[in-house]
Amino acid sequence: MTAPEGRGIGTDTSFRILHVSTGNVCRSPITERLTRHALCDRLGDPMGGGLIVESAGTWGHEGAPMEANAEIVLADFGADASGFVGRELLDEHVIRADLVLTATRDHRAQVISMGHSAGLRTFTLKEFTRLVRAIDPATLPDPADDGMVERARALVRAAAALRGWLLAPSAEADEVNDPYGAPITFFRSIGEEIQQALDPVVTALTGVPTKR
């Protein structure tokens, strides 16, 4: 299958981030909207610099709203939950994504198994965070000179190069557990976990630190 124009292979001015979980009603919606919120916080625009953030589920509830507890978690962080609609993960989503961040290693394996040369741009969220922390920001393109899209693409290449050298302390360290059906207290702990993992990623992507 030929990738349509729009995939981040140097032919487009955008960079697509795809968050993947199981049902696309808990973890990936939280991660998608927290990413957008962080981009807006740093750049003043949730699509600032050409970064586009989406989500889907390997067993996605097509057309479903996110879980009510997920909406509460987003409200806790001041993020916008409105207008969300669940999606089932399709080939076209993977083809167009420049970076795929999954909740678990199983999700990562499922994305990679779809083909489309996805292996070098697919990570679990926590895996990507761990790799990003090891990358010297000075080695990445300056977004002011080269644009944020080029910086983001360079970051993905650098993380992929590190993957075989910087291993997780345990398999579970790279996973975000599923809060589906759990009480709000567990949802909030997962939300905090996702937020902490996203912060260094968005900083590395944009070159702009969190506003304290």
Side-chain angles (χ1 to χ4, degrees):
M1 180 181 293
T2 302
E5 187 173 350
R7 174 181 163 190
I9 52 175
T11 59
D12 196 16
T13 57
S14 65
F15 181 93
R16 290 179 179 270
I17 303 168
L18 176 66
H19 294 295
V20 175
S21 62
T22 303
N24 195 213
V25 292
C26 296
R27 288 169 291 182
S28 50
I30 291 172
T31 315
E32 173 196 317
R33 294 308 175 93
L34 286 180
T35 304
R36 291 186 186 183
H37 182 65
L39 289 173
C40 192
D41 180 61
R42 288 164 170 78
L43 306 173
D45 183 348
M47 291 179 61
L51 305 182
I52 299 170
V53 188
E54 303 172 313
S55 66
T58 55
W59 290 88
H61 300 299
E62 189 73 28
M66 73 174 76
E67 284 288 293
N69 280 346
E71 292 190 3
I72 293 171
V73 167
L74 290 174
D76 288 345
F77 288 100
D80 183 13
S82 65
F84 179 84
V85 178
R87 302 192 305 176
E88 181 178 356
L89 181 67
L90 301 176
D91 288 278
E92 66 189 69
H93 301 144
V94 177
I95 289 168
R96 291 173 66 84
D98 297 278
L99 172 62
V100 184
L101 297 176
T102 70
T104 70
R105 291 168 297 146
D106 282 346
H107 296 133
R108 182 185 64 194
Q110 289 179 66
V111 171
I112 293 172
S113 73
M114 295 171 73
H116 316 302
S117 305
L120 292 178
R121 52 197 167 90
T122 303
F123 309 79
T124 75
L125 170 62
K126 287 187 172 181
E127 173 191 23
F128 194 66
T129 301
R130 175 166 47 80
L131 298 172
V132 161
R133 289 184 184 277
I135 297 168
D136 182 355
T139 64
L140 299 173
D142 186 335
D145 296 329
D146 303 297
M148 210 161 292
V149 168
E150 286 306 310
R151 180 184 177 92
R153 288 178 179 151
L155 182 68
V156 173
R157 291 194 296 269
L162 277 176
R163 180 151 43 188
W165 299 93
L166 190 62
L167 302 180
S170 68
E172 294 72 24
D174 280 345
E175 310 238 317
V176 176
N177 291 323
D178 191 356
Y180 185 77
I184 186 59
T185 51
F186 188 65
F187 263 85
R188 283 186 162 126
S189 70
I190 292 298
E192 184 62 35
E193 199 174 315
I194 290 171
Q195 173 73 5
Q196 289 180 7
L198 278 175
D199 184 69
V201 170
V202 176
T203 297
L205 284 168
T206 64
V208 180
T210 308
K211 293 179 181 178
R212 300 296 183 186

